[in-house]
Amino acid sequence: MSIDPNGDVTIQGVSLRSLPKVSLHDHLDGALRPATIIELADAAGIELPETNASKLGAWFRSQSDSGSLVKYLKTFDVSISVMQTAAALTRVSREFVQDLAADGVIYGEVRWAPEQHLAGGLTLEQTVEAVQQGIEEGEEAADRDGHSIRVGQLITAMRHTDRSLEIAELAVAFRGRGAVGFDIAGPEDGFPASNHRAAFDYLADNFFPVTVHAGEAAGPDSIRSALIDGRALRLGHGVRIAEDLQVVTEEGDEVQVQFGDLARWVRDREIPLELSPSSNLQTGAIAAWGKTLADHPFDLLYQLGFSVTVNVDNRTMSGTSLTRELALLVEAFEYDLDDLEAFQFNAASAAFLPVEEREELVEMIAEGFDI
């Protein structure tokens, strides 16, 4: 099967790009179009490693293939540098939504950290307003093109700074004005969710949904902290929950697995895992299992009944799309349309939306896959 990030993939005679999808783990500063970065950098007098769009895209991908989350995160210095004005934030948010719509996404959640966009003099509130304006412009543009899409903001705090309570208050203040949830991101190892207990207490007191990056650069202890200290309703990546599983016997296609208490809790409570196959390879999150997508514990988690969802994490850094991520999984694990539909059902059910709207998403997915 030929997979082109800018093209389409046909599975069982169906265009994969045309199928309705839900994107839960998608970073705004990891999804800029290289051509846009070049234009914004030129206007701001910012020097880039490459000034050709295709070469800049290739630079992001090569720099991200380090096997280290810390090195991977350094590529964001470039994208964030051009996102320091209201006009720039609005533009990249509008293009983000348009790119999702072109990828067949009908509902998406965009995560980004307002505290990283203040160098140009904006306030935290102004950054959120600028992003929301871009989202609404993108939704309107997509609608004109015949694509129905809705996108909500996941207001994100950086786990290595001390502004998480302030960012949590910001997120709650924008409830009903674009913000649908809260996240913490950045270097995971050494910065557990417990460091931000005050923020999570505030969010819990205000019944505001939380997802936490955990189980990517750190293992089960990080996931435990996300659940206990963060009261996370979803796990950002969460792939290393597989470290709490022990394969007892393996005969042909039959695998017997012993669950640790943490893994059983996550599986039995149906806590969604925001898995990002390509990104997990790039950051070394699955190094314990191997170096290829076929080594990813995605299929093990799926077969054991975990609530797995498929995500891009950072489109620019991974040179990918949700269509491509799904196609890669088909290639690695021989999934069919029923499997891909199940992943979308999981994501729709995990969306930070009222139950009635989640049910509508499920119906839209069922109709789109009824081919």
Side-chain angles (χ1 to χ4, degrees), residues 191-242:
F191 298 94
S194 57
N195 290 359
H196 305 278
R197 187 64 186 256
F200 291 124
D201 287 346
Y202 175 83
L203 293 160
D205 286 343
N206 284 275
F207 297 101
F208 198 77
V210 170
T211 177
V212 174
H213 276 73
E216 181 186 20
D221 285 345
S222 178
I223 295 173
R224 183 184 298 272
S225 182
L227 296 174
I228 295 174
D229 299 300
R231 277 84 107 202
L233 300 179
R234 302 194 317 237
L235 294 172
H237 299 291
V239 63
R240 289 177 61 176
I241 191 67

Side-chain angles (χ1 to χ4, degrees), residues 304-339:
L304 289 175
F306 285 84
S307 179
V308 298
T309 69
V310 183
N311 303 276
V312 298
D313 196 16
N314 298 289
R315 293 166 181 265
T316 303
M317 283 63 180
S318 297
T320 198
S321 65
L322 193 47
T323 294
R324 181 175 181 271
E325 293 301 298
L326 292 169
L328 287 170
L329 290 172
V330 169
E331 187 175 52
F333 302 117
E334 299 182 352
Y335 292 144
D336 59 21
L337 289 178
D338 288 341
D339 297 310

Side-chain angles (χ1 to χ4, degrees), residues 90-160:
T90 296
R91 175 179 175 176
V92 300
S93 301
R94 179 179 63 250
E95 293 177 348
F96 175 92
V97 175
Q98 291 175 294
D99 290 345
L100 259 64
D103 197 17
V105 174
I106 58 174
Y107 176 76
E109 293 177 358
V110 55
R111 59 189 69 200
W112 66 289
E115 64 188 277
Q116 294 188 305
H117 304 278
L118 308 178
L122 295 174
T123 65
L124 290 171
E125 292 76 11
Q126 287 171 332
T127 65
V128 179
E129 290 167 352
V131 168
Q132 186 58 29
Q133 179 180 335
I135 288 173
E136 292 173 5
E137 290 177 2
E139 290 172 340
E140 291 170 1
D143 187 63
R144 289 194 297 270
D145 292 336
H147 300 288
S148 176
I149 183 172
R150 177 180 173 186
V151 175
Q153 295 190 48
L154 294 178
I155 305 298
T156 301
M158 301 307 295
R159 63 198 314 151
H160 58 292

Side-chain angles (χ1 to χ4, degrees), residues 5 25-34 37 48-49 53-83 96 111 116-117 216 237 276-283 311-321 324-325:
H25 196 116
D26 213 330
H27 290 266
L28 181 62
D29 50 358
L32 276 67
R33 299 172 182 175
I37 294 175
L48 297 175
S54 61
K55 290 182 178 180
L56 182 60
W59 178 85
F60 274 110
R61 293 190 295 275
S62 65
Q63 292 294 308
S64 300
D65 285 334
S66 64
S68 162
L69 178 61
V70 174
K71 293 181 180 178
Y72 179 88
L73 291 175
K74 288 183 178 179
T75 60
F76 290 86
D77 292 342
V78 173
S79 57
I80 291 172
S81 71
V82 302
M83 300 170 64
F96 175 92
R111 59 189 69 200
Q116 294 188 305
H117 304 278
E216 181 186 20
H237 299 291
S276 304
S278 292
S279 174
N280 295 159
L281 283 174
Q282 288 179 304
T283 63
N311 303 276
V312 298
D313 196 16
N314 298 289
R315 293 166 181 265
T316 303
M317 283 63 180
S318 297
T320 198
S321 65
R324 181 175 181 271
E325 293 301 298

Side-chain angles (χ1 to χ4, degrees), residues 160-282:
H160 58 292
T161 68
D162 60 359
R163 303 189 71 167
S164 57
L165 177 56
E166 181 183 13
I167 302 303
E169 292 170 343
L170 177 73
V172 172
F174 276 86
R175 181 184 356 220
R177 294 190 289 155
V180 298
F182 177 87
D183 178 33
I184 58 169
E188 179 187 358
D189 198 15
F191 298 94
S194 57
N195 290 359
H196 305 278
R197 187 64 186 256
F200 291 124
D201 287 346
Y202 175 83
L203 293 160
D205 286 343
N206 284 275
F207 297 101
F208 198 77
V210 170
T211 177
V212 174
H213 276 73
E216 181 186 20
D221 285 345
S222 178
I223 295 173
R224 183 184 298 272
S225 182
L227 296 174
I228 295 174
D229 299 300
R231 277 84 107 202
L233 300 179
R234 302 194 317 237
L235 294 172
H237 299 291
V239 63
R240 289 177 61 176
I241 191 67
E243 292 178 14
D244 201 41
L245 300 169
Q246 181 181 355
V247 176
V248 179
T249 61
E250 188 170 1
E251 298 180 6
D253 293 333
E254 295 295 324
V255 178
Q256 289 189 340
V257 175
Q258 180 176 326
F259 282 70
D261 291 340
L262 179 65
R264 184 171 296 282
W265 178 265
V266 171
R267 197 278 303 271
D268 291 353
R269 302 281 78 75
E270 298 182 340
I271 296 169
L273 305 177
E274 301 166 356
L275 301 174
S276 304
S278 292
S279 174
N280 295 159
L281 283 174
Q282 288 179 304

